[in-house]
Amino acid sequence: RTTALAPTFTPEVLRIHVNPESSPSLETAVTAPYSDTLEGDTSGWTVSTEGWWHLSSSQSHSATHSWRYGIDATGNYDDDFRNFGFITTPVITLPVSTNSYMLQFWYRYETENYYAHWDQRWVQLSIDGGPFENHLQLQDDLIDHWLRPVLDISEFRGSTIQVRFHFETLDRAFNNYEGWYIDDVSISGISSVE
């Protein structure tokens, strides 16, 4: 598991905004394996009220839709302010199993830079309704290409999990870029070979 701390800068201290905003509801939990191509009902997802996340048809990995952090009318996420926002999966139960659970998703982005201390793209996890914590910061990756990370989340077998995709500009400068797209989110169980 990769854990990254929020960067700090001087003289101004900037930190990643982790917003627990909504508490997971175990009543709406789905069970892994889980897959969402974002072509149908996305009502189980939570979209932050701040920021620019929305379902979009301007780019997609498969079929016609993906989540996008950006403003379709302007083609960027520049609103003259520091901005941030998140999208969160439904609550997903990972049954106790000998299987290994893998979180996979496709993403594409165009932001100020691919370095860790500029516009930031985080994968955050909430386990058993706990607070969302940074799990992986996407950085040093190809800009303007569809990419698919695979994260082993087997350590959370027997728990419920929510995955949050959090975008943060850190400042109001240089936000005239297309943004971040998320598509084809899945959690699959892979049989362990012993």
Side-chain angles (χ1 to χ4, degrees), residues 93-101 127-128 152-161 190-192 194:
T93 300
L94 303 180
V96 174
S97 170
T98 58
N99 289 345
S100 295
Y101 287 103
I127 309 304
D128 291 329
D152 186 341
I153 56 172
S154 301
E155 67 184 285
F156 305 118
R157 283 183 283 226
S159 302
T160 60
I161 187 171
I190 300 171
S191 295
S192 300
E194 297 186 24

PDB file of all heavy atoms in Angstrom, residues 93-101 127-128 152-161 190-192 194:
ATOM      1  N   THR A  93     -18.674  -4.151  -0.417  1.00  0.00           N
ATOM      2  CA  THR A  93     -18.256  -5.172   0.535  1.00  0.00           C
ATOM      3  C   THR A  93     -17.246  -6.094  -0.125  1.00  0.00           C
ATOM      4  O   THR A  93     -17.485  -6.594  -1.236  1.00  0.00           O
ATOM      5  CB  THR A  93     -19.469  -5.995   1.016  1.00  0.00           C
ATOM      6  OG1 THR A  93     -20.403  -5.110   1.637  1.00  0.00           O
ATOM      7  CG2 THR A  93     -19.054  -7.080   1.990  1.00  0.00           C
ATOM      8  N   LEU A  94     -16.117  -6.300   0.545  1.00  0.00           N
ATOM      9  CA  LEU A  94     -15.111  -7.269   0.092  1.00  0.00           C
ATOM     10  C   LEU A  94     -15.256  -8.503   0.967  1.00  0.00           C
ATOM     11  O   LEU A  94     -14.804  -8.512   2.114  1.00  0.00           O
ATOM     12  CB  LEU A  94     -13.700  -6.692   0.221  1.00  0.00           C
ATOM     13  CG  LEU A  94     -13.408  -5.387  -0.496  1.00  0.00           C
ATOM     14  CD1 LEU A  94     -11.961  -4.959  -0.251  1.00  0.00           C
ATOM     15  CD2 LEU A  94     -13.680  -5.511  -1.981  1.00  0.00           C
ATOM     16  N   PRO A  95     -15.900  -9.561   0.467  1.00  0.00           N
ATOM     17  CA  PRO A  95     -16.122 -10.744   1.297  1.00  0.00           C
ATOM     18  C   PRO A  95     -14.797 -11.378   1.747  1.00  0.00           C
ATOM     19  O   PRO A  95     -13.781 -11.258   1.079  1.00  0.00           O
ATOM     20  CB  PRO A  95     -16.873 -11.702   0.364  1.00  0.00           C
ATOM     21  CG  PRO A  95     -17.443 -10.841  -0.717  1.00  0.00           C
ATOM     22  CD  PRO A  95     -16.486  -9.698  -0.864  1.00  0.00           C
ATOM     23  N   VAL A  96     -14.845 -12.047   2.893  1.00  0.00           N
ATOM     24  CA  VAL A  96     -13.701 -12.822   3.337  1.00  0.00           C
ATOM     25  C   VAL A  96     -13.498 -13.927   2.313  1.00  0.00           C
ATOM     26  O   VAL A  96     -14.436 -14.627   1.936  1.00  0.00           O
ATOM     27  CB  VAL A  96     -13.943 -13.415   4.744  1.00  0.00           C
ATOM     28  CG1 VAL A  96     -12.803 -14.334   5.139  1.00  0.00           C
ATOM     29  CG2 VAL A  96     -14.126 -12.300   5.748  1.00  0.00           C
ATOM     30  N   SER A  97     -12.282 -14.049   1.823  1.00  0.00           N
ATOM     31  CA  SER A  97     -12.011 -14.964   0.724  1.00  0.00           C
ATOM     32  C   SER A  97     -10.515 -15.208   0.632  1.00  0.00           C
ATOM     33  O   SER A  97      -9.713 -14.442   1.184  1.00  0.00           O
ATOM     34  CB  SER A  97     -12.521 -14.328  -0.587  1.00  0.00           C
ATOM     35  OG  SER A  97     -12.100 -15.054  -1.697  1.00  0.00           O
ATOM     36  N   THR A  98     -10.139 -16.247  -0.090  1.00  0.00           N
ATOM     37  CA  THR A  98      -8.716 -16.446  -0.387  1.00  0.00           C
ATOM     38  C   THR A  98      -8.319 -15.662  -1.627  1.00  0.00           C
ATOM     39  O   THR A  98      -7.153 -15.639  -2.001  1.00  0.00           O
ATOM     40  CB  THR A  98      -8.403 -17.942  -0.600  1.00  0.00           C
ATOM     41  OG1 THR A  98      -9.225 -18.427  -1.670  1.00  0.00           O
ATOM     42  CG2 THR A  98      -8.647 -18.735   0.673  1.00  0.00           C
ATOM     43  N   ASN A  99      -9.301 -15.041  -2.261  1.00  0.00           N
ATOM     44  CA  ASN A  99      -9.012 -14.230  -3.442  1.00  0.00           C
ATOM     45  C   ASN A  99      -8.241 -12.969  -3.074  1.00  0.00           C
ATOM     46  O   ASN A  99      -8.385 -12.432  -1.982  1.00  0.00           O
ATOM     47  CB  ASN A  99     -10.303 -13.799  -4.152  1.00  0.00           C
ATOM     48  CG  ASN A  99     -10.994 -14.937  -4.855  1.00  0.00           C
ATOM     49  OD1 ASN A  99     -10.405 -15.995  -5.060  1.00  0.00           O
ATOM     50  ND2 ASN A  99     -12.244 -14.723  -5.217  1.00  0.00           N
ATOM     51  N   SER A 100      -7.459 -12.495  -4.014  1.00  0.00           N
ATOM     52  CA  SER A 100      -6.838 -11.179  -3.908  1.00  0.00           C
ATOM     53  C   SER A 100      -7.774 -10.187  -4.583  1.00  0.00           C
ATOM     54  O   SER A 100      -8.280 -10.454  -5.677  1.00  0.00           O
ATOM     55  CB  SER A 100      -5.484 -11.164  -4.625  1.00  0.00           C
ATOM     56  OG  SER A 100      -4.586 -12.036  -3.986  1.00  0.00           O
ATOM     57  N   TYR A 101      -8.019  -9.056  -3.952  1.00  0.00           N
ATOM     58  CA  TYR A 101      -8.898  -8.038  -4.532  1.00  0.00           C
ATOM     59  C   TYR A 101      -8.054  -6.932  -5.155  1.00  0.00           C
ATOM     60  O   TYR A 101      -7.150  -6.393  -4.522  1.00  0.00           O
ATOM     61  CB  TYR A 101      -9.834  -7.447  -3.483  1.00  0.00           C
ATOM     62  CG  TYR A 101     -10.915  -8.411  -3.080  1.00  0.00           C
ATOM     63  CD1 TYR A 101     -10.844  -9.095  -1.875  1.00  0.00           C
ATOM     64  CD2 TYR A 101     -12.000  -8.645  -3.915  1.00  0.00           C
ATOM     65  CE1 TYR A 101     -11.837  -9.986  -1.510  1.00  0.00           C
ATOM     66  CE2 TYR A 101     -12.998  -9.542  -3.556  1.00  0.00           C
ATOM     67  CZ  TYR A 101     -12.912 -10.206  -2.350  1.00  0.00           C
ATOM     68  OH  TYR A 101     -13.892 -11.090  -1.992  1.00  0.00           O
ATOM     69  N   ILE A 127     -12.440   2.756   4.897  1.00  0.00           N
ATOM     70  CA  ILE A 127     -12.622   1.361   5.274  1.00  0.00           C
ATOM     71  C   ILE A 127     -13.622   1.292   6.422  1.00  0.00           C
ATOM     72  O   ILE A 127     -13.471   1.988   7.435  1.00  0.00           O
ATOM     73  CB  ILE A 127     -11.278   0.724   5.712  1.00  0.00           C
ATOM     74  CG1 ILE A 127     -10.191   0.977   4.655  1.00  0.00           C
ATOM     75  CG2 ILE A 127     -11.447  -0.760   6.010  1.00  0.00           C
ATOM     76  CD1 ILE A 127     -10.526   0.496   3.263  1.00  0.00           C
ATOM     77  N   ASP A 128     -14.654   0.463   6.241  1.00  0.00           N
ATOM     78  CA  ASP A 128     -15.691   0.263   7.265  1.00  0.00           C
ATOM     79  C   ASP A 128     -16.288   1.577   7.758  1.00  0.00           C
ATOM     80  O   ASP A 128     -16.535   1.765   8.950  1.00  0.00           O
ATOM     81  CB  ASP A 128     -15.137  -0.548   8.443  1.00  0.00           C
ATOM     82  CG  ASP A 128     -14.847  -1.996   8.046  1.00  0.00           C
ATOM     83  OD1 ASP A 128     -15.551  -2.521   7.160  1.00  0.00           O
ATOM     84  OD2 ASP A 128     -13.913  -2.590   8.615  1.00  0.00           O
ATOM     85  N   ASP A 152      -3.622  -3.406  -5.277  1.00  0.00           N
ATOM     86  CA  ASP A 152      -3.983  -4.568  -4.471  1.00  0.00           C
ATOM     87  C   ASP A 152      -4.619  -4.072  -3.171  1.00  0.00           C
ATOM     88  O   ASP A 152      -3.963  -3.408  -2.363  1.00  0.00           O
ATOM     89  CB  ASP A 152      -2.731  -5.399  -4.180  1.00  0.00           C
ATOM     90  CG  ASP A 152      -3.058  -6.706  -3.477  1.00  0.00           C
ATOM     91  OD1 ASP A 152      -4.165  -6.835  -2.900  1.00  0.00           O
ATOM     92  OD2 ASP A 152      -2.194  -7.603  -3.491  1.00  0.00           O
ATOM     93  N   ILE A 153      -5.890  -4.372  -2.988  1.00  0.00           N
ATOM     94  CA  ILE A 153      -6.601  -3.957  -1.773  1.00  0.00           C
ATOM     95  C   ILE A 153      -7.021  -5.181  -0.954  1.00  0.00           C
ATOM     96  O   ILE A 153      -7.940  -5.113  -0.151  1.00  0.00           O
ATOM     97  CB  ILE A 153      -7.813  -3.057  -2.115  1.00  0.00           C
ATOM     98  CG1 ILE A 153      -8.758  -3.755  -3.088  1.00  0.00           C
ATOM     99  CG2 ILE A 153      -7.348  -1.714  -2.669  1.00  0.00           C
ATOM    100  CD1 ILE A 153     -10.071  -3.021  -3.314  1.00  0.00           C
ATOM    101  N   SER A 154      -6.303  -6.287  -1.124  1.00  0.00           N
ATOM    102  CA  SER A 154      -6.627  -7.539  -0.437  1.00  0.00           C
ATOM    103  C   SER A 154      -6.593  -7.412   1.079  1.00  0.00           C
ATOM    104  O   SER A 154      -7.293  -8.138   1.778  1.00  0.00           O
ATOM    105  CB  SER A 154      -5.653  -8.638  -0.861  1.00  0.00           C
ATOM    106  OG  SER A 154      -5.715  -8.832  -2.255  1.00  0.00           O
ATOM    107  N   GLU A 155      -5.777  -6.509   1.599  1.00  0.00           N
ATOM    108  CA  GLU A 155      -5.682  -6.349   3.049  1.00  0.00           C
ATOM    109  C   GLU A 155      -7.006  -5.932   3.670  1.00  0.00           C
ATOM    110  O   GLU A 155      -7.197  -6.047   4.881  1.00  0.00           O
ATOM    111  CB  GLU A 155      -4.603  -5.335   3.417  1.00  0.00           C
ATOM    112  CG  GLU A 155      -4.931  -3.916   2.976  1.00  0.00           C
ATOM    113  CD  GLU A 155      -3.810  -2.931   3.269  1.00  0.00           C
ATOM    114  OE1 GLU A 155      -3.643  -2.554   4.455  1.00  0.00           O
ATOM    115  OE2 GLU A 155      -3.103  -2.578   2.316  1.00  0.00           O
ATOM    116  N   PHE A 156      -7.975  -5.504   2.850  1.00  0.00           N
ATOM    117  CA  PHE A 156      -9.264  -5.048   3.361  1.00  0.00           C
ATOM    118  C   PHE A 156     -10.361  -6.107   3.209  1.00  0.00           C
ATOM    119  O   PHE A 156     -11.543  -5.795   3.367  1.00  0.00           O
ATOM    120  CB  PHE A 156      -9.662  -3.742   2.673  1.00  0.00           C
ATOM    121  CG  PHE A 156      -8.608  -2.680   2.791  1.00  0.00           C
ATOM    122  CD1 PHE A 156      -7.993  -2.161   1.664  1.00  0.00           C
ATOM    123  CD2 PHE A 156      -8.204  -2.224   4.037  1.00  0.00           C
ATOM    124  CE1 PHE A 156      -7.010  -1.199   1.765  1.00  0.00           C
ATOM    125  CE2 PHE A 156      -7.217  -1.251   4.160  1.00  0.00           C
ATOM    126  CZ  PHE A 156      -6.615  -0.742   3.023  1.00  0.00           C
ATOM    127  N   ARG A 157      -9.985  -7.368   2.906  1.00  0.00           N
ATOM    128  CA  ARG A 157     -10.981  -8.459   2.845  1.00  0.00           C
ATOM    129  C   ARG A 157     -11.773  -8.498   4.142  1.00  0.00           C
ATOM    130  O   ARG A 157     -11.217  -8.306   5.227  1.00  0.00           O
ATOM    131  CB  ARG A 157     -10.287  -9.805   2.648  1.00  0.00           C
ATOM    132  CG  ARG A 157      -9.821 -10.065   1.253  1.00  0.00           C
ATOM    133  CD  ARG A 157      -9.216 -11.446   1.164  1.00  0.00           C
ATOM    134  NE  ARG A 157      -7.872 -11.392   1.744  1.00  0.00           N
ATOM    135  CZ  ARG A 157      -6.807 -11.925   1.188  1.00  0.00           C
ATOM    136  NH1 ARG A 157      -6.907 -12.594   0.065  1.00  0.00           N
ATOM    137  NH2 ARG A 157      -5.641 -11.832   1.778  1.00  0.00           N
ATOM    138  N   GLY A 158     -13.063  -8.750   4.020  1.00  0.00           N
ATOM    139  CA  GLY A 158     -13.919  -8.801   5.199  1.00  0.00           C
ATOM    140  C   GLY A 158     -14.389  -7.429   5.656  1.00  0.00           C
ATOM    141  O   GLY A 158     -15.026  -7.302   6.701  1.00  0.00           O
ATOM    142  N   SER A 159     -14.097  -6.403   4.883  1.00  0.00           N
ATOM    143  CA  SER A 159     -14.474  -5.024   5.223  1.00  0.00           C
ATOM    144  C   SER A 159     -15.357  -4.444   4.130  1.00  0.00           C
ATOM    145  O   SER A 159     -15.502  -5.012   3.055  1.00  0.00           O
ATOM    146  CB  SER A 159     -13.217  -4.148   5.346  1.00  0.00           C
ATOM    147  OG  SER A 159     -12.334  -4.653   6.312  1.00  0.00           O
ATOM    148  N   THR A 160     -15.907  -3.271   4.430  1.00  0.00           N
ATOM    149  CA  THR A 160     -16.519  -2.481   3.375  1.00  0.00           C
ATOM    150  C   THR A 160     -15.529  -1.397   2.988  1.00  0.00           C
ATOM    151  O   THR A 160     -14.715  -0.960   3.805  1.00  0.00           O
ATOM    152  CB  THR A 160     -17.850  -1.838   3.817  1.00  0.00           C
ATOM    153  OG1 THR A 160     -17.612  -0.987   4.930  1.00  0.00           O
ATOM    154  CG2 THR A 160     -18.886  -2.904   4.155  1.00  0.00           C
ATOM    155  N   ILE A 161     -15.612  -0.974   1.745  1.00  0.00           N
ATOM    156  CA  ILE A 161     -14.662   0.004   1.227  1.00  0.00           C
ATOM    157  C   ILE A 161     -15.406   1.000   0.356  1.00  0.00           C
ATOM    158  O   ILE A 161     -16.409   0.651  -0.276  1.00  0.00           O
ATOM    159  CB  ILE A 161     -13.538  -0.710   0.426  1.00  0.00           C
ATOM    160  CG1 ILE A 161     -12.430   0.263   0.027  1.00  0.00           C
ATOM    161  CG2 ILE A 161     -14.094  -1.447  -0.750  1.00  0.00           C
ATOM    162  CD1 ILE A 161     -11.212  -0.421  -0.571  1.00  0.00           C
ATOM    163  N   ILE A 190      -9.223 -12.049  -7.586  1.00  0.00           N
ATOM    164  CA  ILE A 190      -8.342 -12.918  -8.370  1.00  0.00           C
ATOM    165  C   ILE A 190      -7.900 -14.061  -7.478  1.00  0.00           C
ATOM    166  O   ILE A 190      -7.419 -13.833  -6.367  1.00  0.00           O
ATOM    167  CB  ILE A 190      -7.121 -12.128  -8.895  1.00  0.00           C
ATOM    168  CG1 ILE A 190      -7.609 -10.990  -9.778  1.00  0.00           C
ATOM    169  CG2 ILE A 190      -6.153 -13.035  -9.615  1.00  0.00           C
ATOM    170  CD1 ILE A 190      -6.525 -10.020 -10.186  1.00  0.00           C
ATOM    171  N   SER A 191      -8.058 -15.283  -7.955  1.00  0.00           N
ATOM    172  CA  SER A 191      -7.706 -16.453  -7.151  1.00  0.00           C
ATOM    173  C   SER A 191      -6.214 -16.443  -6.839  1.00  0.00           C
ATOM    174  O   SER A 191      -5.385 -16.196  -7.695  1.00  0.00           O
ATOM    175  CB  SER A 191      -8.040 -17.747  -7.899  1.00  0.00           C
ATOM    176  OG  SER A 191      -9.425 -17.832  -8.083  1.00  0.00           O
ATOM    177  N   SER A 192      -5.907 -16.694  -5.575  1.00  0.00           N
ATOM    178  CA  SER A 192      -4.514 -16.756  -5.143  1.00  0.00           C
ATOM    179  C   SER A 192      -3.937 -18.118  -5.495  1.00  0.00           C
ATOM    180  O   SER A 192      -4.581 -19.149  -5.328  1.00  0.00           O
ATOM    181  CB  SER A 192      -4.412 -16.544  -3.637  1.00  0.00           C
ATOM    182  OG  SER A 192      -4.940 -15.287  -3.296  1.00  0.00           O
ATOM    183  N   GLU A 194      -1.189 -20.811  -4.539  1.00  0.00           N
ATOM    184  CA  GLU A 194      -0.287 -21.139  -3.432  1.00  0.00           C
ATOM    185  C   GLU A 194       0.468 -22.393  -3.713  1.00  0.00           C
ATOM    186  O   GLU A 194       0.118 -23.223  -4.446  1.00  0.00           O
ATOM    187  CB  GLU A 194      -1.111 -21.296  -2.156  1.00  0.00           C
ATOM    188  CG  GLU A 194      -1.778 -19.975  -1.810  1.00  0.00           C
ATOM    189  CD  GLU A 194      -2.483 -20.054  -0.469  1.00  0.00           C
ATOM    190  OE1 GLU A 194      -2.132 -20.880   0.375  1.00  0.00           O
ATOM    191  OE2 GLU A 194      -3.403 -19.274  -0.297  1.00  0.00           O
TER     192      GLU A 194
END
